[in-house]
Amino acid sequence: MNAPFVFTIEKPVRPELGPQIARALEKHVELDGRRKYPRLWAVGDRLNARKGGAGREIVILRTVLTGLLWLGSLGVVLPALMEPSALPALLAVGLIVWLYASFVLFFARPKVLAPLALVCGLFLLFGVVFSPELRPLLPGAAGCLLLGIAALVSAFKKGPSARFQKAAAKLLVSRSELLKSGPVQVVADEDGLSVKTGESSQGATLLFWADVLWVVETLDLYLVFSQKTVILLQKEELWQKPGQLSLLFSEKTRLVPLF
């Protein structure tokens, strides 16, 4: 049986650890997406694996063919948008193929998808603006523009996005506010994690291991994620050696290292 591991939290997390928190939050979102949509992520993983293992000529050919499929399916969707009640089957089939091609390009070639979608979206938007009879194409223009912007952000993203940096900043603030009522003690044992403030343990909150989704470990931190909350722990606040606690996390839940 593992001895209890005790964190004594008496001061806020150092601000320079913000990027580590943002990376951990980003990883949590990815893990949650893989848990909820395993088939979609499996397709993306296979695409990335093929991209890394295929020769340059094969990659170019696949990109060209997928791009043509994207344009062709868009060419099917747009006429169907003009008469959706008359061509419901054509609209459904075209939309499914377009979404599939968009998904493939987004994961495999976002730098190709971004200009392709943005140009098509702008072209359709100008058509809608200058030709009122083309207003049924507005959803197509909006979809292409949003897809192009998302692909552009994905293609040139470096480090955690602004979204996760803001979330990390909020987490730092909420952890600092927790200390206003006094030092906080977090104990990890065979049952789970208990969080208590002050000298008494009567107000302790217990998080059972069965309710923990995973623990993301960075160089200086542990972030324990459940369905409703996240517990942020600094390794320097732990009384024992961090390596021993990592073994406990590995035994009781899923430990995801980010080094």
Side-chain angles (χ1 to χ4, degrees):
M1 179 176 178
N2 292 300
F5 294 89
V6 181
F7 290 85
T8 300
I9 304 172
E10 298 177 329
K11 57 184 179 180
V13 176
R14 289 177 283 127
E16 58 266 26
L17 298 182
Q20 292 187 37
I21 300 173
R23 286 184 60 222
L25 294 174
E26 188 173 31
K27 187 64 177 180
H28 164 66
V29 171
E30 177 193 333
L31 293 170
D32 200 42
R34 290 181 180 275
R35 180 176 65 90
K36 294 178 179 178
Y37 312 105
R39 294 184 179 179
L40 287 177
W41 279 93
V43 172
D45 290 339
R46 286 198 296 270
L47 290 171
N48 288 329
R50 289 180 181 179
K51 180 177 68 173
R56 179 177 176 81
E57 294 80 5
I58 299 297
V59 171
I60 293 175
L61 179 60
R62 286 176 180 168
T63 302
V64 171
L65 292 177
T66 308
L68 291 174
L69 181 65
W70 190 90
L71 288 170
S73 58
L74 184 63
V76 172
V77 169
L78 295 179
L81 282 175
M82 298 297 296
E83 296 289 342
S85 58
L87 301 170
L90 187 64
L91 177 60
V93 173
L95 188 59
I96 291 172
V97 176
W98 183 80
L99 288 173
Y100 171 78
S102 298
F103 182 82
V104 171
L105 288 174
F106 186 86
F107 278 95
R109 283 292 180 267
K111 291 184 179 180
V112 173
L113 178 61
L116 191 65
L118 288 173
V119 169
C120 289
L122 289 173
F123 180 78
L124 292 173
L125 184 61
F126 287 143
V128 171
V129 170
F130 293 105
S131 300
E133 64 273 12
L134 297 179
R135 284 182 181 176
L137 299 181
L138 185 58
C144 288
L145 288 173
L146 290 174
L147 180 63
I149 293 171
L152 191 66
V153 172
S154 176
F156 296 99
K157 181 179 67 174
K158 295 182 179 179
S161 66
R163 167 193 171 190
F164 295 106
Q165 292 174 11
K166 290 180 180 179
K170 290 182 179 179
L171 187 57
L172 287 173
V173 171
S174 63
R175 193 179 189 269
S176 299
E177 292 176 348
L178 187 64
L179 296 174
K180 290 182 178 179
S181 57
V184 177
Q185 188 177 77
V186 179
V187 179
D189 55 24
E190 293 291 327
D191 297 322
L193 284 88
S194 61
V195 182
K196 60 182 179 180
T197 59
E199 297 297 331
S200 175
S201 61
Q202 294 183 353
T205 301
L206 180 62
L207 177 64
F208 293 101
W209 292 120
D211 298 322
V212 176
L213 294 173
W214 40 70
V215 178
V216 178
E217 179 183 3
T218 71
L219 189 62
D220 299 289
L221 303 167
Y222 291 109
L223 285 88
V224 183
F225 291 93
S226 68
Q227 290 279 12
K228 297 181 179 181
T229 188
V230 54
I231 300 176
L232 174 60
L233 302 169
Q234 292 187 98
K235 292 180 179 179
E236 65 182 28
E237 297 165 337
L238 177 64
W239 291 9
Q240 296 92 339
K241 294 182 179 179
Q244 296 174 340
L245 178 57
S246 296
L247 291 176
L248 177 64
F249 284 147
S250 299
E251 293 173 0
K252 298 298 183 180
T253 186
R254 181 179 177 185
L255 179 64
V256 183
L258 287 182
F259 296 116

